[in-house]
């Protein structure tokens, strides 16, 4: 039986980071995945969906150009071409995660299903057994299939299968108004599909700042997406190749017909096939319970990424992969800290989120200041004729950044300066003092930070002293 300092189960962002980090520091590492490395992000998540979003944006830009500049655009967008483009993206990026790269690092690579024989031994495909001093579980998650009557018989799409369609459906029901559902809804709409989104909550994107969500809703509605909120799908049936969907809203039921149904109402952790019953590892609804050091209830076993239930983002898994190397390989006791974890919803306009929303900040009991800049006050957005959006920074009385949010074209990029400032303790006023090129989109961030000094000086007694000094100096 082969013995290792570190066994990593799962070849996604977190697992690959942990395995590579351990090997780089001299640990003997085994890396196990049932398929090719890269995880959900590469094969069915971040990479292909962003490629699809970009293809849909090109189509939308062509339509927009035809109206603005008297161009003639004919024909129907070829969805298969978009599928081929995203597959090209996957193939290119996958080269960075192929087996040989990790073999060259000295890592032993195994492909197959991993199960726990006991708390130190892992079986691969029920045959090979290896032993690890430390073990990292990084098995990710998969789409949740809600308990809708008839859904299996009717058939459905998920983010995994929707990406490999040869042709876009004429009509599509998206079940779930979160980031995944909305990104697909807008993309398919731009390719000509008639899309309806059903969301159980009172509004879509319920975890986002309420000032910004309306911009996303208005944009999607203007492109033809229809929303049914405060509602749920209770039943589906297949009739003459059309899918009849029974929707319940306000205690009333009605039936709509669609060509396809896309389920985007959540994720479930991939922990059910690990045979955790052979260990003392505790779970909650399938998510592996971990402490702040990412240890499970069995101290030498760690869980990172989607499988531990904290924030289902690739960049969060990568962060945890680095942290677990410190703790599992070096024996340090570093805590995971998600205070400065940003995320982006890649609709058009993009929606950026960092830290507390205004609602959360007010509930915290802290005295806060809120600084807002609409994009029509930012020269670069004006010159681009892309003025629908908002930048919002929330700070305490001393200017410490508590949260930052933005909605607009490229918000996920132009707000990165605020991520740096918040993480390293720079106050909002520091951003104002940075020299930014003109005109750029990030100028909107500086303009928002300028509001801090404007307010501070206007409300300060020192202003009267300065005014008197200026009068004397003149």
């Amino acid at each position: 039986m082969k013995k290792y300092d570190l066994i990593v189960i799962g070849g996604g962002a977190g697992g690959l980071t942990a395995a590579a980090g351990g090997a780089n520091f001299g640990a003997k590492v085994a890396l196990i995945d049932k398929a090719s490395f890269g995880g959900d992000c590469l094969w069915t998540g971040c990479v292909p969906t962003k490629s699809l979003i970009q293809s849909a944006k090109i189509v939308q830009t062509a339509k927009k150009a035809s109206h603005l500049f008297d161009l003639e655009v004919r024909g129907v967008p070829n969805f298969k071409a978009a599928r081929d483009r995203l597959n090209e993206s996957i193939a290119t990026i996958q080269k960075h995660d192929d087996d040989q790269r990790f073999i060259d690092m000295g890592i032993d690579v195994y492909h197959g299903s991993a199960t726990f024989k006991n708390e130190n031994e892992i079986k691969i495909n029920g045959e090979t057994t290896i032993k690890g001093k430390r073990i990292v579980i990084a098995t990710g998650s998969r789409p949740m299939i809600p308990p809708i009557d008839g859904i299996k018989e009717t058939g459905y799409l998920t983010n995994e299968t929707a990406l490999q369609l040869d042709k876009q459906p004429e009509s599509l029901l998206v079940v779930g108004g979160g980031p995944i559902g909305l990104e697909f809804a807008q993309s398919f709409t731009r390719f000509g599909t008639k899309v309806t989104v059903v969301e159980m909550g009172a509004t879509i994107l319920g975890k986002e700042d309420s000032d910004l969500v309306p911009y996303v809703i208005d944009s999607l509605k203007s492109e033809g997406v229809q929303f049914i909120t405060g509602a749920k799908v209770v039943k589906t049936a297949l009739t003459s190749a059309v899918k009849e969907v029974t929707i319940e809203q306000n205690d009333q039921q009605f039936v709509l017909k669609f060509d396809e149904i896309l389920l985007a109402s959540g994720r479930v952790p991939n922990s059910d096939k690990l045979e955790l019953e052979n260990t003392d590892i505790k779970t909650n609804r399938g998510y592996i319970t971990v402490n702040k050091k990412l240890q499970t209830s069995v101290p030498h076993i760690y869980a990172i990424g989607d499988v531990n239930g904290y924030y289902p983002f690739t960049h969060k898994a990568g962060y945890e992969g680095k942290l677990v190397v410190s703790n599992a390989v070096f024996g340090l006791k570093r805590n995971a800290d998600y205070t400065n974890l940003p995320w982006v919803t890649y609709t058009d306009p993009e929606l950026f989120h960092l830290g507390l929303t205004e609602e959360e900040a007010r509930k915290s009991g802290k005295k806060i200041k809120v600084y807002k800049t609409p994009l029509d006050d930012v020269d670069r957005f004006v010159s681009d004729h892309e003025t629908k959006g908002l930048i919002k920074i929330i700070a305490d009385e001393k200017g410490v950044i508590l949260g930052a949010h933005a909605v607009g074209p490229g918000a996920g990029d132009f707000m990165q300066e605020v991520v740096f400032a918040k993480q390293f303790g720079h106050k909002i006023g520091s951003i104002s003092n940075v020299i930014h090129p003109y005109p750029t989109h990030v100028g909107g961030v500086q303009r928002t930070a300028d509001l801090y000094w404007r307010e501070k000086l206007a409300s300060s007694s020192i202003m009267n002293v300065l005014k008197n000094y200026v009068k004397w100096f003149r």
Side-chain angles (χ1 to χ4, degrees), residues 287-432:
Y287 292 103
I288 296 176
T289 303
V290 296
N291 61 18
K292 291 183 178 180
K293 298 172 181 60
L294 303 177
Q295 292 170 299
T296 69
S297 48
V298 179
H300 70 270
I301 301 175
Y302 299 75
I304 62 176
D306 289 10
V307 78
N308 69 22
Y310 290 110
Y311 302 103
F313 305 122
T314 297
H315 50 288
K316 170 262 189 185
Y319 160 73
E320 290 181 337
K322 294 177 182 178
L323 184 68
V324 85
V325 171
S326 300
N327 293 348
V329 176
F330 287 101
L332 302 180
K333 298 186 181 299
R334 295 176 58 200
N335 290 337
D337 182 2
Y338 308 109
T339 306
N340 301 306
L341 177 74
W343 63 80
V344 180
T345 301
Y346 292 94
T347 48
D348 186 7
E350 290 182 356
L351 184 60
F352 169 89
H353 182 122
L354 172 67
L356 300 179
T357 64
E358 182 178 345
E359 294 90 340
E360 291 168 339
R362 294 197 183 282
K363 287 179 181 178
S364 71
K366 296 180 180 180
K367 292 183 178 180
I368 66 170
K369 297 287 186 179
V370 180
Y371 306 95
K372 303 179 185 179
T373 299
L375 297 193
D376 57 11
D377 280 348
V378 183
D379 291 356
R380 179 56 189 271
F381 288 105
V382 173
S383 66
D384 291 347
H385 291 266
E386 297 282 0
T387 57
K388 293 181 180 178
L390 179 70
I391 297 171
K392 181 177 185 178
I393 299 178
I394 304 149
D396 68 11
E397 289 183 299
K398 296 181 179 180
V400 175
I401 299 170
L402 304 175
H405 307 270
V407 59
D413 291 319
F414 69 70
M415 290 295 288
Q416 289 305 307
E417 181 178 22
V418 190
V419 179
F420 180 88
K422 185 176 186 301
Q423 179 159 340
F424 291 98
H426 297 290
K427 297 179 180 180
I428 183 173
S430 298
I431 299 174
S432 178

Side-chain angles (χ1 to χ4, degrees), residues 114-175:
T115 56
F116 280 86
K117 183 177 180 181
N118 54 52
E119 293 177 352
N120 285 98
E121 295 179 354
I122 303 296
K123 294 172 67 176
I124 304 168
N125 288 333
E127 300 171 355
T128 305
T129 300
I130 59 176
K131 187 173 183 178
K133 185 177 180 181
R134 302 281 189 272
I135 300 172
V136 176
I137 303 171
T139 48
S141 65
R142 62 184 184 273
M144 179 184 74
I145 310 304
I148 300 171
D149 185 20
I151 191 66
K152 291 184 179 179
E153 294 76 14
T154 304
Y156 56 86
L157 299 172
T158 66
N159 67 291
E160 298 174 354
T161 55
L163 291 166
Q164 296 302 328
L165 292 173
D166 287 326
K167 184 180 180 182
Q168 67 271 33
E170 290 188 15
S171 60
L172 174 69
L173 174 68
V174 177
V175 181

